[in-house]
Amino acid sequence: MAMTSTITDQASGPWTRTLEQWTRARYRDAPVPVRDTLPFAPREAPKPKAFQKIPVVMIVLTRRTRHLHAGVCQAVEIIRESTYGFRAVVFTDDAVSPAFGAVDWAIEHCLPEDALHRLQPGKNWLETASDHLEWAQREYGASLVLAPDDEESAVEAVHRLAVAFRAPAKIVDSACERARAGFTAAADVRHGLRGWWETLPVGRSDVVVEWSGTQISCVVHRSDTASPECVGAVIDATGREPSSGLAVAHASGWSTAHLIGSAGQSRAAVVRAAGEGLAGDGPVVECVTEPEALAGDWSGIDARLILEAGRGRLVTRVGAAVDFAAEQLREVLDALRAAHR
């Protein structure tokens, strides 16, 4: 079956990239030139003015890295109290983390991703959060911005900070040991849609995602997208029984994801993240159950598919439509993938 329509080029939005990844790419854990710093001091400082001119270090600790919070906070506080060389600011979407109550730091809170989507469905949280982080870095005058996202990078950040502020060797060792001792086991539940799709192995994975105050179960069949014959993703986020098209797509070398549970107004973000995380260089197909859903927002979607009563209809983002018998689905998907190249 020939599909003569072409899929329009679209920018690859970073819907699976984490704020930590963005921060390290932006600041590279290196000194940042600043003109001035915000005049603030720890709440319990006996002489606040003495603190108001010393350097500021900003540490990104988000909800998805809560298992690192206690270890990083305790370790950095050892360094801060032993050197009095810097003031600490934590940038977070998780201001209620218990670890922050144990240190006398400034907290810059950004809107969590699921909360943003309740206000602005389909908005890319990373754009909002990174803009906020850049503003905070300038406003506070942070000359070092660190963003650990696993135990190894957290210990490296602690060590880098201690060396940068010339902490004695014993303090460096003590801080790193305290960090390791303070880490807790990472939860089996994924917090949000970022930072984990690329870690899934080829084959089936069963993932539970905490999102928008609820848990979404996700059954993923990941194909080896290193092969051009196995790129593309078919996503079913209807919250119902899986579309029969998922099995056909998987047998044809497509990655598939079936999300069980309601994503509510955030469905577009869930589909976009799953598509970006699984499709490689191939097209993203969303399964829908209502004909009117075929004409929804096309951001991050190349085609939509509906199957009912032995018939199917596939509509592309450029308006081309193909009606076919259900047993022709594999041929239709193969044609779509070929048109996307």
Side-chain angles (χ1 to χ4, degrees), residues 226-247:
S227 167
E229 301 303 320
C230 294
V231 297
V234 179
I235 313 299
D236 182 347
T238 60
R240 304 181 182 180
E241 291 296 314
S243 167
S244 59
L246 293 183

Side-chain angles (χ1 to χ4, degrees), residues 42 71 126 157:
L126 185 60

Side-chain angles (χ1 to χ4, degrees), residues 16 190-200 207 209 218 220:
T16 61
R190 312 281 182 163
H191 292 282
L193 304 172
R194 300 177 181 273
W196 54 269
W197 296 95
E198 64 274 15
T199 69
L200 298 179
V207 181
V209 183
C218 186
V220 177

Side-chain angles (χ1 to χ4, degrees), residues 14 37 71 124 163 171 211 257 293 295 338:
T37 63
N124 188 345
V163 171
I171 296 298
W211 179 254

